[in-house]
Amino acid sequence: MNEVETLYKTLKTAQEPKGYLFSTDKERVHELLDGLIVNKKRYGYMCCPCRLASGDREKDRDILCPCVYREDDVKEYGSCYCNLYVSKGWNEGKVPRIYVPERRPSPF
């Protein structure tokens, strides 16, 4: 089993009981998981691959996967910002798949 599949299995097992599913777009999910692995190697922690990280764990605390914005994003839009974690309704097509706006304050 490669790193992406191992991470997929680990996160799926940990997050599904909490009501957070992976998107049914497995190719996209694997791209995002690969990004998490790259960030882990680069920074020493898995931060959201869809956001700019500073390399300072404390400054990036809010975007450690799963990010602090996930709960509100999934509740309101059926998906987190990067579409890694989604609700059952989103996967079933019962929730419109619209753009999830960025909640993180600009670091600039």
Side-chain angles (χ1 to χ4, degrees), residues 56-89:
D56 179 326
R57 185 182 180 99
E58 185 58 32
K59 288 180 182 174
D60 294 336
R61 191 170 34 113
D62 63 326
I63 61 169
L64 295 178
C65 188
C67 74
V68 300
Y69 310 104
R70 176 186 71 169
E71 183 177 347
D72 288 339
D73 286 350
V74 173
K75 194 179 296 180
E76 188 172 344
Y77 298 99
S79 170
C80 69
Y81 180 68
C82 62
N83 301 134
L84 177 62
Y85 292 110
V86 300
S87 67
K88 182 179 178 186

PDB file of all heavy atoms in Angstrom, residues 56-89:
ATOM      1  N   ASP A  56       5.400  27.986   9.761  1.00  0.00           N
ATOM      2  CA  ASP A  56       5.396  28.148  11.212  1.00  0.00           C
ATOM      3  C   ASP A  56       4.136  27.440  11.733  1.00  0.00           C
ATOM      4  O   ASP A  56       3.022  27.903  11.497  1.00  0.00           O
ATOM      5  CB  ASP A  56       5.366  29.637  11.559  1.00  0.00           C
ATOM      6  CG  ASP A  56       5.336  29.911  13.053  1.00  0.00           C
ATOM      7  OD1 ASP A  56       4.731  29.131  13.821  1.00  0.00           O
ATOM      8  OD2 ASP A  56       5.906  30.939  13.444  1.00  0.00           O
ATOM      9  N   ARG A  57       4.332  26.340  12.410  1.00  0.00           N
ATOM     10  CA  ARG A  57       3.202  25.515  12.850  1.00  0.00           C
ATOM     11  C   ARG A  57       2.173  26.329  13.651  1.00  0.00           C
ATOM     12  O   ARG A  57       0.971  26.157  13.465  1.00  0.00           O
ATOM     13  CB  ARG A  57       3.701  24.329  13.672  1.00  0.00           C
ATOM     14  CG  ARG A  57       2.597  23.363  14.051  1.00  0.00           C
ATOM     15  CD  ARG A  57       3.124  22.218  14.910  1.00  0.00           C
ATOM     16  NE  ARG A  57       2.065  21.327  15.261  1.00  0.00           N
ATOM     17  CZ  ARG A  57       1.785  20.192  14.665  1.00  0.00           C
ATOM     18  NH1 ARG A  57       2.533  19.780  13.660  1.00  0.00           N
ATOM     19  NH2 ARG A  57       0.778  19.441  15.051  1.00  0.00           N
ATOM     20  N   GLU A  58       2.623  27.201  14.513  1.00  0.00           N
ATOM     21  CA  GLU A  58       1.694  27.992  15.323  1.00  0.00           C
ATOM     22  C   GLU A  58       0.847  28.919  14.446  1.00  0.00           C
ATOM     23  O   GLU A  58      -0.362  29.028  14.640  1.00  0.00           O
ATOM     24  CB  GLU A  58       2.460  28.790  16.383  1.00  0.00           C
ATOM     25  CG  GLU A  58       1.565  29.542  17.346  1.00  0.00           C
ATOM     26  CD  GLU A  58       0.577  28.651  18.109  1.00  0.00           C
ATOM     27  OE1 GLU A  58       0.891  27.474  18.397  1.00  0.00           O
ATOM     28  OE2 GLU A  58      -0.521  29.143  18.415  1.00  0.00           O
ATOM     29  N   LYS A  59       1.461  29.554  13.458  1.00  0.00           N
ATOM     30  CA  LYS A  59       0.717  30.434  12.553  1.00  0.00           C
ATOM     31  C   LYS A  59      -0.223  29.641  11.650  1.00  0.00           C
ATOM     32  O   LYS A  59      -1.240  30.171  11.202  1.00  0.00           O
ATOM     33  CB  LYS A  59       1.680  31.249  11.698  1.00  0.00           C
ATOM     34  CG  LYS A  59       2.406  32.320  12.450  1.00  0.00           C
ATOM     35  CD  LYS A  59       3.343  33.084  11.546  1.00  0.00           C
ATOM     36  CE  LYS A  59       4.115  34.136  12.325  1.00  0.00           C
ATOM     37  NZ  LYS A  59       5.121  34.801  11.502  1.00  0.00           N
ATOM     38  N   ASP A  60       0.134  28.397  11.380  1.00  0.00           N
ATOM     39  CA  ASP A  60      -0.668  27.544  10.491  1.00  0.00           C
ATOM     40  C   ASP A  60      -1.620  26.630  11.258  1.00  0.00           C
ATOM     41  O   ASP A  60      -2.279  25.779  10.651  1.00  0.00           O
ATOM     42  CB  ASP A  60       0.249  26.691   9.610  1.00  0.00           C
ATOM     43  CG  ASP A  60       1.062  27.513   8.638  1.00  0.00           C
ATOM     44  OD1 ASP A  60       0.638  28.639   8.305  1.00  0.00           O
ATOM     45  OD2 ASP A  60       2.129  27.027   8.200  1.00  0.00           O
ATOM     46  N   ARG A  61      -1.698  26.800  12.554  1.00  0.00           N
ATOM     47  CA  ARG A  61      -2.521  25.919  13.395  1.00  0.00           C
ATOM     48  C   ARG A  61      -3.948  25.786  12.872  1.00  0.00           C
ATOM     49  O   ARG A  61      -4.537  24.714  12.917  1.00  0.00           O
ATOM     50  CB  ARG A  61      -2.522  26.474  14.823  1.00  0.00           C
ATOM     51  CG  ARG A  61      -3.083  25.579  15.861  1.00  0.00           C
ATOM     52  CD  ARG A  61      -2.821  26.121  17.259  1.00  0.00           C
ATOM     53  NE  ARG A  61      -2.851  27.573  17.315  1.00  0.00           N
ATOM     54  CZ  ARG A  61      -3.775  28.283  17.967  1.00  0.00           C
ATOM     55  NH1 ARG A  61      -4.716  27.682  18.631  1.00  0.00           N
ATOM     56  NH2 ARG A  61      -3.736  29.594  17.965  1.00  0.00           N
ATOM     57  N   ASP A  62      -4.498  26.864  12.340  1.00  0.00           N
ATOM     58  CA  ASP A  62      -5.885  26.840  11.862  1.00  0.00           C
ATOM     59  C   ASP A  62      -6.068  26.036  10.576  1.00  0.00           C
ATOM     60  O   ASP A  62      -7.190  25.659  10.237  1.00  0.00           O
ATOM     61  CB  ASP A  62      -6.425  28.257  11.669  1.00  0.00           C
ATOM     62  CG  ASP A  62      -5.681  29.054  10.612  1.00  0.00           C
ATOM     63  OD1 ASP A  62      -4.451  28.878  10.461  1.00  0.00           O
ATOM     64  OD2 ASP A  62      -6.329  29.876   9.931  1.00  0.00           O
ATOM     65  N   ILE A  63      -4.974  25.759   9.871  1.00  0.00           N
ATOM     66  CA  ILE A  63      -5.109  25.004   8.614  1.00  0.00           C
ATOM     67  C   ILE A  63      -4.492  23.614   8.696  1.00  0.00           C
ATOM     68  O   ILE A  63      -4.295  22.961   7.676  1.00  0.00           O
ATOM     69  CB  ILE A  63      -4.551  25.790   7.405  1.00  0.00           C
ATOM     70  CG1 ILE A  63      -3.069  26.103   7.563  1.00  0.00           C
ATOM     71  CG2 ILE A  63      -5.404  27.020   7.137  1.00  0.00           C
ATOM     72  CD1 ILE A  63      -2.409  26.636   6.289  1.00  0.00           C
ATOM     73  N   LEU A  64      -4.203  23.139   9.919  1.00  0.00           N
ATOM     74  CA  LEU A  64      -3.785  21.748  10.072  1.00  0.00           C
ATOM     75  C   LEU A  64      -4.991  20.882   9.729  1.00  0.00           C
ATOM     76  O   LEU A  64      -6.101  21.129  10.196  1.00  0.00           O
ATOM     77  CB  LEU A  64      -3.327  21.464  11.506  1.00  0.00           C
ATOM     78  CG  LEU A  64      -2.084  22.202  11.980  1.00  0.00           C
ATOM     79  CD1 LEU A  64      -1.792  21.843  13.434  1.00  0.00           C
ATOM     80  CD2 LEU A  64      -0.880  21.890  11.119  1.00  0.00           C
ATOM     81  N   CYS A  65      -4.790  19.912   8.902  1.00  0.00           N
ATOM     82  CA  CYS A  65      -5.903  19.088   8.422  1.00  0.00           C
ATOM     83  C   CYS A  65      -6.329  18.084   9.493  1.00  0.00           C
ATOM     84  O   CYS A  65      -5.486  17.375  10.030  1.00  0.00           O
ATOM     85  CB  CYS A  65      -5.488  18.361   7.152  1.00  0.00           C
ATOM     86  SG  CYS A  65      -6.856  17.503   6.348  1.00  0.00           S
ATOM     87  N   PRO A  66      -7.612  18.026   9.798  1.00  0.00           N
ATOM     88  CA  PRO A  66      -8.691  18.847   9.257  1.00  0.00           C
ATOM     89  C   PRO A  66      -8.668  20.252   9.871  1.00  0.00           C
ATOM     90  O   PRO A  66      -8.508  20.411  11.074  1.00  0.00           O
ATOM     91  CB  PRO A  66      -9.958  18.105   9.650  1.00  0.00           C
ATOM     92  CG  PRO A  66      -9.597  17.325  10.865  1.00  0.00           C
ATOM     93  CD  PRO A  66      -8.124  17.020  10.746  1.00  0.00           C
ATOM     94  N   CYS A  67      -8.841  21.232   9.014  1.00  0.00           N
ATOM     95  CA  CYS A  67      -8.735  22.624   9.436  1.00  0.00           C
ATOM     96  C   CYS A  67      -9.907  23.029  10.337  1.00  0.00           C
ATOM     97  O   CYS A  67     -10.939  22.353  10.377  1.00  0.00           O
ATOM     98  CB  CYS A  67      -8.644  23.545   8.223  1.00  0.00           C
ATOM     99  SG  CYS A  67     -10.187  23.768   7.333  1.00  0.00           S
ATOM    100  N   VAL A  68      -9.733  24.128  11.036  1.00  0.00           N
ATOM    101  CA  VAL A  68     -10.772  24.597  11.950  1.00  0.00           C
ATOM    102  C   VAL A  68     -12.008  25.111  11.212  1.00  0.00           C
ATOM    103  O   VAL A  68     -13.056  25.305  11.828  1.00  0.00           O
ATOM    104  CB  VAL A  68     -10.252  25.690  12.918  1.00  0.00           C
ATOM    105  CG1 VAL A  68      -9.117  25.165  13.767  1.00  0.00           C
ATOM    106  CG2 VAL A  68      -9.842  26.938  12.173  1.00  0.00           C
ATOM    107  N   TYR A  69     -11.890  25.309   9.914  1.00  0.00           N
ATOM    108  CA  TYR A  69     -13.005  25.840   9.121  1.00  0.00           C
ATOM    109  C   TYR A  69     -13.909  24.729   8.571  1.00  0.00           C
ATOM    110  O   TYR A  69     -14.996  24.986   8.084  1.00  0.00           O
ATOM    111  CB  TYR A  69     -12.464  26.692   7.968  1.00  0.00           C
ATOM    112  CG  TYR A  69     -11.455  27.705   8.451  1.00  0.00           C
ATOM    113  CD1 TYR A  69     -10.088  27.511   8.234  1.00  0.00           C
ATOM    114  CD2 TYR A  69     -11.852  28.830   9.163  1.00  0.00           C
ATOM    115  CE1 TYR A  69      -9.146  28.428   8.710  1.00  0.00           C
ATOM    116  CE2 TYR A  69     -10.921  29.747   9.638  1.00  0.00           C
ATOM    117  CZ  TYR A  69      -9.571  29.535   9.407  1.00  0.00           C
ATOM    118  OH  TYR A  69      -8.652  30.432   9.878  1.00  0.00           O
ATOM    119  N   ARG A  70     -13.425  23.499   8.649  1.00  0.00           N
ATOM    120  CA  ARG A  70     -14.150  22.371   8.055  1.00  0.00           C
ATOM    121  C   ARG A  70     -15.564  22.235   8.581  1.00  0.00           C
ATOM    122  O   ARG A  70     -16.512  22.072   7.797  1.00  0.00           O
ATOM    123  CB  ARG A  70     -13.387  21.075   8.291  1.00  0.00           C
ATOM    124  CG  ARG A  70     -14.154  19.855   7.767  1.00  0.00           C
ATOM    125  CD  ARG A  70     -13.490  18.564   8.107  1.00  0.00           C
ATOM    126  NE  ARG A  70     -13.592  18.268   9.529  1.00  0.00           N
ATOM    127  CZ  ARG A  70     -13.272  17.102  10.044  1.00  0.00           C
ATOM    128  NH1 ARG A  70     -12.795  16.134   9.287  1.00  0.00           N
ATOM    129  NH2 ARG A  70     -13.394  16.891  11.340  1.00  0.00           N
ATOM    130  N   GLU A  71     -15.750  22.274   9.884  1.00  0.00           N
ATOM    131  CA  GLU A  71     -17.069  22.040  10.463  1.00  0.00           C
ATOM    132  C   GLU A  71     -18.105  23.026   9.918  1.00  0.00           C
ATOM    133  O   GLU A  71     -19.180  22.618   9.462  1.00  0.00           O
ATOM    134  CB  GLU A  71     -17.008  22.138  11.989  1.00  0.00           C
ATOM    135  CG  GLU A  71     -18.335  21.822  12.636  1.00  0.00           C
ATOM    136  CD  GLU A  71     -18.267  21.838  14.155  1.00  0.00           C
ATOM    137  OE1 GLU A  71     -17.157  21.846  14.729  1.00  0.00           O
ATOM    138  OE2 GLU A  71     -19.347  21.842  14.768  1.00  0.00           O
ATOM    139  N   ASP A  72     -17.784  24.321   9.945  1.00  0.00           N
ATOM    140  CA  ASP A  72     -18.727  25.320   9.434  1.00  0.00           C
ATOM    141  C   ASP A  72     -18.928  25.189   7.925  1.00  0.00           C
ATOM    142  O   ASP A  72     -20.044  25.345   7.428  1.00  0.00           O
ATOM    143  CB  ASP A  72     -18.258  26.729   9.776  1.00  0.00           C
ATOM    144  CG  ASP A  72     -18.403  27.051  11.255  1.00  0.00           C
ATOM    145  OD1 ASP A  72     -19.206  26.378  11.945  1.00  0.00           O
ATOM    146  OD2 ASP A  72     -17.720  27.975  11.722  1.00  0.00           O
ATOM    147  N   ASP A  73     -17.853  24.899   7.189  1.00  0.00           N
ATOM    148  CA  ASP A  73     -17.966  24.738   5.738  1.00  0.00           C
ATOM    149  C   ASP A  73     -18.899  23.581   5.386  1.00  0.00           C
ATOM    150  O   ASP A  73     -19.795  23.720   4.549  1.00  0.00           O
ATOM    151  CB  ASP A  73     -16.597  24.483   5.096  1.00  0.00           C
ATOM    152  CG  ASP A  73     -15.723  25.723   5.018  1.00  0.00           C
ATOM    153  OD1 ASP A  73     -16.220  26.836   5.281  1.00  0.00           O
ATOM    154  OD2 ASP A  73     -14.530  25.561   4.683  1.00  0.00           O
ATOM    155  N   VAL A  74     -18.684  22.446   6.019  1.00  0.00           N
ATOM    156  CA  VAL A  74     -19.511  21.262   5.719  1.00  0.00           C
ATOM    157  C   VAL A  74     -20.947  21.502   6.155  1.00  0.00           C
ATOM    158  O   VAL A  74     -21.888  21.128   5.445  1.00  0.00           O
ATOM    159  CB  VAL A  74     -18.915  19.984   6.353  1.00  0.00           C
ATOM    160  CG1 VAL A  74     -19.853  18.804   6.177  1.00  0.00           C
ATOM    161  CG2 VAL A  74     -17.552  19.665   5.733  1.00  0.00           C
ATOM    162  N   LYS A  75     -21.117  22.153   7.287  1.00  0.00           N
ATOM    163  CA  LYS A  75     -22.473  22.448   7.772  1.00  0.00           C
ATOM    164  C   LYS A  75     -23.217  23.366   6.795  1.00  0.00           C
ATOM    165  O   LYS A  75     -24.381  23.143   6.475  1.00  0.00           O
ATOM    166  CB  LYS A  75     -22.398  23.106   9.156  1.00  0.00           C
ATOM    167  CG  LYS A  75     -23.709  23.158   9.879  1.00  0.00           C
ATOM    168  CD  LYS A  75     -23.560  23.800  11.253  1.00  0.00           C
ATOM    169  CE  LYS A  75     -22.663  22.935  12.124  1.00  0.00           C
ATOM    170  NZ  LYS A  75     -22.452  23.478  13.473  1.00  0.00           N
ATOM    171  N   GLU A  76     -22.540  24.388   6.307  1.00  0.00           N
ATOM    172  CA  GLU A  76     -23.182  25.382   5.447  1.00  0.00           C
ATOM    173  C   GLU A  76     -23.211  24.992   3.970  1.00  0.00           C
ATOM    174  O   GLU A  76     -24.188  25.252   3.275  1.00  0.00           O
ATOM    175  CB  GLU A  76     -22.466  26.719   5.597  1.00  0.00           C
ATOM    176  CG  GLU A  76     -23.162  27.861   4.906  1.00  0.00           C
ATOM    177  CD  GLU A  76     -22.547  29.210   5.237  1.00  0.00           C
ATOM    178  OE1 GLU A  76     -21.780  29.331   6.207  1.00  0.00           O
ATOM    179  OE2 GLU A  76     -22.856  30.172   4.491  1.00  0.00           O
ATOM    180  N   TYR A  77     -22.127  24.380   3.475  1.00  0.00           N
ATOM    181  CA  TYR A  77     -22.004  24.105   2.043  1.00  0.00           C
ATOM    182  C   TYR A  77     -21.979  22.621   1.684  1.00  0.00           C
ATOM    183  O   TYR A  77     -21.986  22.269   0.508  1.00  0.00           O
ATOM    184  CB  TYR A  77     -20.733  24.760   1.485  1.00  0.00           C
ATOM    185  CG  TYR A  77     -20.756  26.254   1.623  1.00  0.00           C
ATOM    186  CD1 TYR A  77     -20.098  26.890   2.667  1.00  0.00           C
ATOM    187  CD2 TYR A  77     -21.457  27.044   0.709  1.00  0.00           C
ATOM    188  CE1 TYR A  77     -20.127  28.267   2.806  1.00  0.00           C
ATOM    189  CE2 TYR A  77     -21.494  28.426   0.844  1.00  0.00           C
ATOM    190  CZ  TYR A  77     -20.829  29.022   1.892  1.00  0.00           C
ATOM    191  OH  TYR A  77     -20.870  30.387   2.024  1.00  0.00           O
ATOM    192  N   GLY A  78     -21.908  21.757   2.689  1.00  0.00           N
ATOM    193  CA  GLY A  78     -21.851  20.323   2.427  1.00  0.00           C
ATOM    194  C   GLY A  78     -20.453  19.833   2.092  1.00  0.00           C
ATOM    195  O   GLY A  78     -20.245  18.660   1.838  1.00  0.00           O
ATOM    196  N   SER A  79     -19.487  20.750   2.086  1.00  0.00           N
ATOM    197  CA  SER A  79     -18.114  20.410   1.726  1.00  0.00           C
ATOM    198  C   SER A  79     -17.162  21.384   2.406  1.00  0.00           C
ATOM    199  O   SER A  79     -17.517  22.534   2.640  1.00  0.00           O
ATOM    200  CB  SER A  79     -17.937  20.514   0.215  1.00  0.00           C
ATOM    201  OG  SER A  79     -16.581  20.412  -0.150  1.00  0.00           O
ATOM    202  N   CYS A  80     -15.961  20.908   2.671  1.00  0.00           N
ATOM    203  CA  CYS A  80     -14.944  21.838   3.157  1.00  0.00           C
ATOM    204  C   CYS A  80     -14.391  22.612   1.964  1.00  0.00           C
ATOM    205  O   CYS A  80     -14.703  22.310   0.810  1.00  0.00           O
ATOM    206  CB  CYS A  80     -13.831  21.097   3.912  1.00  0.00           C
ATOM    207  SG  CYS A  80     -12.762  20.059   2.910  1.00  0.00           S
ATOM    208  N   TYR A  81     -13.560  23.579   2.251  1.00  0.00           N
ATOM    209  CA  TYR A  81     -13.008  24.476   1.224  1.00  0.00           C
ATOM    210  C   TYR A  81     -12.388  23.726   0.043  1.00  0.00           C
ATOM    211  O   TYR A  81     -12.618  24.071  -1.110  1.00  0.00           O
ATOM    212  CB  TYR A  81     -11.981  25.390   1.899  1.00  0.00           C
ATOM    213  CG  TYR A  81     -11.304  26.375   0.984  1.00  0.00           C
ATOM    214  CD1 TYR A  81     -12.013  27.422   0.412  1.00  0.00           C
ATOM    215  CD2 TYR A  81      -9.945  26.275   0.726  1.00  0.00           C
ATOM    216  CE1 TYR A  81     -11.381  28.345  -0.411  1.00  0.00           C
ATOM    217  CE2 TYR A  81      -9.303  27.197  -0.090  1.00  0.00           C
ATOM    218  CZ  TYR A  81     -10.026  28.226  -0.661  1.00  0.00           C
ATOM    219  OH  TYR A  81      -9.398  29.136  -1.463  1.00  0.00           O
ATOM    220  N   CYS A  82     -11.624  22.693   0.318  1.00  0.00           N
ATOM    221  CA  CYS A  82     -10.928  21.992  -0.777  1.00  0.00           C
ATOM    222  C   CYS A  82     -11.697  20.784  -1.304  1.00  0.00           C
ATOM    223  O   CYS A  82     -11.215  20.098  -2.208  1.00  0.00           O
ATOM    224  CB  CYS A  82      -9.514  21.600  -0.349  1.00  0.00           C
ATOM    225  SG  CYS A  82      -9.430  20.460   1.024  1.00  0.00           S
ATOM    226  N   ASN A  83     -12.854  20.506  -0.755  1.00  0.00           N
ATOM    227  CA  ASN A  83     -13.701  19.381  -1.161  1.00  0.00           C
ATOM    228  C   ASN A  83     -13.144  18.018  -0.773  1.00  0.00           C
ATOM    229  O   ASN A  83     -13.524  17.004  -1.341  1.00  0.00           O
ATOM    230  CB  ASN A  83     -14.005  19.371  -2.667  1.00  0.00           C
ATOM    231  CG  ASN A  83     -14.694  20.609  -3.162  1.00  0.00           C
ATOM    232  OD1 ASN A  83     -14.322  21.169  -4.182  1.00  0.00           O
ATOM    233  ND2 ASN A  83     -15.696  21.080  -2.443  1.00  0.00           N
ATOM    234  N   LEU A  84     -12.252  17.983   0.196  1.00  0.00           N
ATOM    235  CA  LEU A  84     -11.759  16.697   0.688  1.00  0.00           C
ATOM    236  C   LEU A  84     -12.816  16.047   1.566  1.00  0.00           C
ATOM    237  O   LEU A  84     -13.188  14.897   1.354  1.00  0.00           O
ATOM    238  CB  LEU A  84     -10.455  16.878   1.484  1.00  0.00           C
ATOM    239  CG  LEU A  84      -9.863  15.617   2.111  1.00  0.00           C
ATOM    240  CD1 LEU A  84      -9.480  14.605   1.031  1.00  0.00           C
ATOM    241  CD2 LEU A  84      -8.648  15.966   2.961  1.00  0.00           C
ATOM    242  N   TYR A  85     -13.297  16.801   2.542  1.00  0.00           N
ATOM    243  CA  TYR A  85     -14.328  16.294   3.448  1.00  0.00           C
ATOM    244  C   TYR A  85     -15.684  16.852   3.047  1.00  0.00           C
ATOM    245  O   TYR A  85     -15.828  18.049   2.810  1.00  0.00           O
ATOM    246  CB  TYR A  85     -14.023  16.689   4.894  1.00  0.00           C
ATOM    247  CG  TYR A  85     -12.810  15.992   5.445  1.00  0.00           C
ATOM    248  CD1 TYR A  85     -11.638  16.689   5.688  1.00  0.00           C
ATOM    249  CD2 TYR A  85     -12.840  14.624   5.713  1.00  0.00           C
ATOM    250  CE1 TYR A  85     -10.522  16.045   6.200  1.00  0.00           C
ATOM    251  CE2 TYR A  85     -11.728  13.976   6.224  1.00  0.00           C
ATOM    252  CZ  TYR A  85     -10.573  14.696   6.463  1.00  0.00           C
ATOM    253  OH  TYR A  85      -9.473  14.049   6.968  1.00  0.00           O
ATOM    254  N   VAL A  86     -16.646  15.949   2.975  1.00  0.00           N
ATOM    255  CA  VAL A  86     -17.983  16.341   2.542  1.00  0.00           C
ATOM    256  C   VAL A  86     -19.030  15.643   3.402  1.00  0.00           C
ATOM    257  O   VAL A  86     -18.731  14.698   4.126  1.00  0.00           O
ATOM    258  CB  VAL A  86     -18.216  15.995   1.045  1.00  0.00           C
ATOM    259  CG1 VAL A  86     -17.207  16.705   0.158  1.00  0.00           C
ATOM    260  CG2 VAL A  86     -18.174  14.506   0.811  1.00  0.00           C
ATOM    261  N   SER A  87     -20.248  16.105   3.261  1.00  0.00           N
ATOM    262  CA  SER A  87     -21.366  15.475   3.958  1.00  0.00           C
ATOM    263  C   SER A  87     -21.931  14.349   3.088  1.00  0.00           C
ATOM    264  O   SER A  87     -21.659  14.269   1.883  1.00  0.00           O
ATOM    265  CB  SER A  87     -22.461  16.503   4.225  1.00  0.00           C
ATOM    266  OG  SER A  87     -23.041  16.932   2.999  1.00  0.00           O
ATOM    267  N   LYS A  88     -22.729  13.528   3.706  1.00  0.00           N
ATOM    268  CA  LYS A  88     -23.407  12.451   2.970  1.00  0.00           C
ATOM    269  C   LYS A  88     -24.291  13.044   1.868  1.00  0.00           C
ATOM    270  O   LYS A  88     -24.311  12.560   0.744  1.00  0.00           O
ATOM    271  CB  LYS A  88     -24.239  11.617   3.949  1.00  0.00           C
ATOM    272  CG  LYS A  88     -24.943  10.452   3.307  1.00  0.00           C
ATOM    273  CD  LYS A  88     -25.728   9.648   4.340  1.00  0.00           C
ATOM    274  CE  LYS A  88     -26.467   8.528   3.644  1.00  0.00           C
ATOM    275  NZ  LYS A  88     -27.345   7.805   4.566  1.00  0.00           N
ATOM    276  N   GLY A  89     -24.997  14.118   2.206  1.00  0.00           N
ATOM    277  CA  GLY A  89     -25.864  14.779   1.228  1.00  0.00           C
ATOM    278  C   GLY A  89     -25.101  15.305   0.028  1.00  0.00           C
ATOM    279  O   GLY A  89     -25.586  15.248  -1.104  1.00  0.00           O
TER     280      GLY A  89
END
